Each structure stands twice: as C-alpha cells, then as structure tokens.
Amino acid sequence: MHRRQKPSAPEHKRDLAAHGGALSVSHNDTRSFFNFSQLVLAAGHLKSPPVLKHSKITYFEVEILDVQSKKQICIVDKVPPSSTLLDVKHKFHKACPQWYPSRVGLQLERNGPYLKDSINIQSLAVSSIITLYFTDLGQQVGWTTFFLTEYTGPLLIYLLFYIRLSTIYDQVESTKNFRHPVVHLACFCHCLHYIRHLLETLFVHKFSGGHTPLKNMIKGCAFYWGFTSWIAYYINHPRYTPPSFGHRQVSFAALAFLMCEAGNHFINVALAHQNHSGLKACFPSPTYNPFTWLFLLVSCPNYTYEVGSWISFAVMTQTLPVGIFAFLMIIQMSLWAQKKHKLYLKRFYPEVRRKTAMIPIVF
C-alpha cells in the first residue's frame, strides 16, 4: 500500500504563501478600484436635478421690502410650494389691509419687471426665503369696468345733443330748421358703433382678469367723451350743412361704415376663438367669411376696420371735429398695431412675416 505523503514543512508554507499571495492581490485590486472610483466622483461631482431642488422644503417665507427704502414691510410665512403670486398678494393684503391685491406690484429685482399673478412661487425660490420688492400701483379698475365706462359715455352724450336740449341749442332755432337725413343717419351709425363695443365687451372679448390704473380710465374717458361732445354739437346743430356731394356721398360713406363695423365684429369674434380647438396656439387664419380675408394682408385687421369706420363717418358727415378725431385714431391704432405686430412676429413668425401691421399693402 502506498501511503500519501504529507508535504514537508517548507512546501506547505510555500503553498500557503502562494494562496495567501493570491488573496492579497485580489484584496489590493478591490481597494484600487474603490480608490479609483472615489477619484472619478471627486473630479466630476454629480448635481441633483433642478426638479428636486426644493423637494425637501415644505413651506416658503416671502419677505416683502419697499422698493424705494428697502425696508421690510412684512413677512408672509407658511407659503406652500404650489402657491401662485396671487396667493401671496392675498396673504399680504391680510397683513396690510390698505393694499388690496390688484394695486400690489411685486418685483424680483428693484429695476425688474412686475411679476405676473400666475407665476408659481417655487419657480422664484433659490432657498426657503424669497425676497420680493413692493410697489403701490395706485387705485385699479378691472378691464370690463374700464371699457364699459369708456363706451357708455359717448353713447349717452351723443343722444343728449341729438334731442337738442334747450340748454345746448336755441330752442326757437331748433324747431324752425329742418333736419337733413344725414343727421339721423349719423346718430344711428354712432350709436351702432358704441353699442357694438359694449356688447363685445360683455360677450365677445376675453379678459385675463387683469387691472389697469384708474388714471388710465380717466384719460380714456376724457378723450372719448370730450370728442363725442364736440362731434355731436356740430352734427346736431340747427345750422349744420349737409355734405358737398349730397346723397351719393352719404350713401357710399354709410355703406363703407356698415361694412367696416361688420368686419370689425367678425375679426373680434375670430380673435376671441383662436384657441378654441385646444391645440397649439396659432395665428388666426381666414375662414369662409369674406370679412376675415383681411388676415391675409395685415396682422391687426380689427384696427384696420376701426380706422375705416371713422374715416367713413368723417366722409359721411363732412365735419372738421370728426376728421380730427379720425386722424388721431389712425395714429393711436397704428401705434397699437405696431406693438402687437412685433409680438406676433415673435410667436407666429412664419404666418406673420409677410404681413403688415394695419395698412394692407398688396404686391
């Protein structure tokens, strides 16, 4: 029988040394890989995604400072991350009742723009404390109130001159003089114009719930009401003389006026329903309605029709006050149209780039 010989002591130690060496090499490789990983992570530290930036913040504190003195007015605490700036304004109003939300202007920087009410408060935060600057915007009125007041005045003022009050005209002269048919037609057209504006304000135009300073409404009312008084005084005066070309001039001008009024209404309806489909916002395109075909030439056809109405009314009545008012309306509408045209170019460049702002040019 052969016996298994035990390895000698030197050989046994050699084998253990060999196995131990292998284990040692494996352990050293693991440590080297770990050290290398640490070096890579230290060289390029991974940042947390912006979405999780405030994930651990339960509430924000909004510090409101005066924009002029930089003094602290109040601190609105326990503002949830889902709150909007309008929610902050309501809480600010509770702390300072003299400033209701519509007259509060908040800025992220002293010389920066006023922040919109719909902005989410979390998008403004870099920490749990948000600093905003407060400006008192003064007494405000809603846009619906603004337009209803501005358009109701001319409607009533013109009718007061049309009935020829004794306090305005000489009563004896008013009863003797015959009224030319254009006087009655002018009253009808003028009332139709402002009734359309009033109805569109109530049922067509969509306001975002914003406000405007009261002084703007006062200036608008002074302009419209003052010119209406001047216009109505001359057209309804007992000594008013009819247009030079008589019935033909009045008829063509009245027809143009009615067409411009209809076009203005259909354009306003199209603008109010431009996002009705729920798809991505796009510039209104002409429909089967011929009055909307002006969209092919200009980006603000509502201003084109508005100016056309007043030019037609000036030709129909042939009075200097209406001519001056139409000229001022052309200037004002051109400024508004240029401003809107620039915004349309940014939002709808492919559709608007070949159009003009208000005056159609055909090449």
Side-chain angles (χ1 to χ4, degrees), residues 55-69:
S55 58
K56 295 182 180 180
I57 297 177
T58 307
Y59 294 104
F60 290 102
E61 288 186 358
V62 181
E63 181 187 26
I64 300 179
L65 307 179
D66 183 79
V67 71
Q68 299 294 335
S69 62

Side-chain angles (χ1 to χ4, degrees), residues 28-310:
N28 290 337
D29 289 343
T30 304
R31 289 179 60 86
S32 300
F33 180 77
F34 177 77
N35 292 335
F36 179 75
S37 302
Q38 292 296 322
L39 180 63
V40 172
L41 292 175
H45 182 66
L46 299 177
K47 296 182 180 180
S48 59
V51 179
L52 302 177
K53 187 176 181 181
H54 307 295
S55 58
K56 295 182 180 180
I57 297 177
T58 307
Y59 294 104
F60 290 102
E61 288 186 358
V62 181
E63 181 187 26
I64 300 179
L65 307 179
D66 183 79
V67 71
Q68 299 294 335
S69 62
K70 294 185 180 180
K71 293 182 179 179
Q72 185 185 97
I73 300 177
C74 76
I75 293 180
V76 181
D77 57 355
K78 293 185 178 181
V79 179
S82 59
S83 299
T84 62
L85 199 67
L86 183 60
D87 299 328
V88 175
K89 288 184 178 182
H90 282 292
K91 291 187 176 183
F92 177 62
H93 174 58
K94 291 182 180 179
C96 304
Q98 68 271 27
W99 292 309
Y100 49 90
S102 62
R103 69 182 295 168
V104 174
L106 296 177
Q107 303 160 274
L108 199 58
E109 299 175 356
R110 293 184 67 190
N111 297 325
Y114 293 115
L115 301 173
K116 295 183 178 180
D117 292 345
S118 58
I119 290 181
N120 188 278
I121 200 67
Q122 187 173 359
S123 64
L124 304 175
V126 293
S127 66
S128 61
I129 300 177
I130 305 171
T131 301
L132 299 176
Y133 294 93
F134 161 76
T135 301
D136 184 9
L137 300 177
Q139 192 170 356
Q140 306 284 302
V141 293
W143 283 110
T144 302
T145 304
F146 176 89
F147 288 116
L148 289 179
T149 306
E150 192 175 67
Y151 297 143
T152 303
L155 180 64
L156 299 178
I157 290 173
Y158 196 97
L159 291 175
L160 291 177
F161 283 90
Y162 176 73
I163 61 178
R164 289 184 176 178
L165 295 176
S166 58
T167 55
I168 301 175
Y169 303 110
D170 181 74
Q171 190 67 24
V172 177
E173 192 174 24
S174 299
T175 54
K176 289 182 179 179
N177 288 7
F178 170 76
R179 290 198 188 191
H180 193 275
V182 70
V183 176
H184 305 292
L185 182 61
C187 180
F188 170 79
C189 292
H190 192 276
C191 292
L192 176 67
H193 178 78
Y194 284 102
I195 289 174
R196 178 184 63 79
H197 273 305
L198 291 172
L199 294 177
E200 288 177 353
T201 300
L202 293 173
F203 304 109
V204 176
H205 295 304
K206 297 178 181 179
F207 303 105
S208 59
H211 296 78
T212 186
L214 178 62
K215 61 182 180 181
N216 289 347
M217 189 180 74
I218 295 175
K219 289 191 292 186
C221 290
F223 176 77
Y224 280 99
W225 294 15
F227 262 103
T228 299
S229 300
W230 192 23
I231 291 170
Y233 176 80
Y234 274 87
I235 295 178
N236 295 287
H237 198 281
R239 297 182 182 180
Y240 169 75
T241 54
S244 304
F245 295 96
H247 179 71
R248 180 178 299 178
Q249 178 179 343
V250 173
S251 299
F252 280 109
L255 180 61
F257 177 88
L258 294 176
M259 291 180 63
C260 289
E261 287 295 302
N264 202 340
H265 172 71
F266 289 120
I267 292 296
N268 287 333
V269 172
L271 290 173
H273 296 85
Q274 59 179 324
N275 296 326
H276 183 70
S277 60
L279 302 176
K280 184 179 178 181
C282 58
F283 189 77
S285 57
T287 63
Y288 63 89
N289 189 337
F291 290 104
T292 63
W293 294 352
L294 200 55
F295 273 122
L296 295 171
L297 302 176
V298 298
S299 59
C300 302
N302 52 328
Y303 295 145
T304 307
Y305 282 122
E306 183 76 12
V307 168
S309 294
W310 285 111

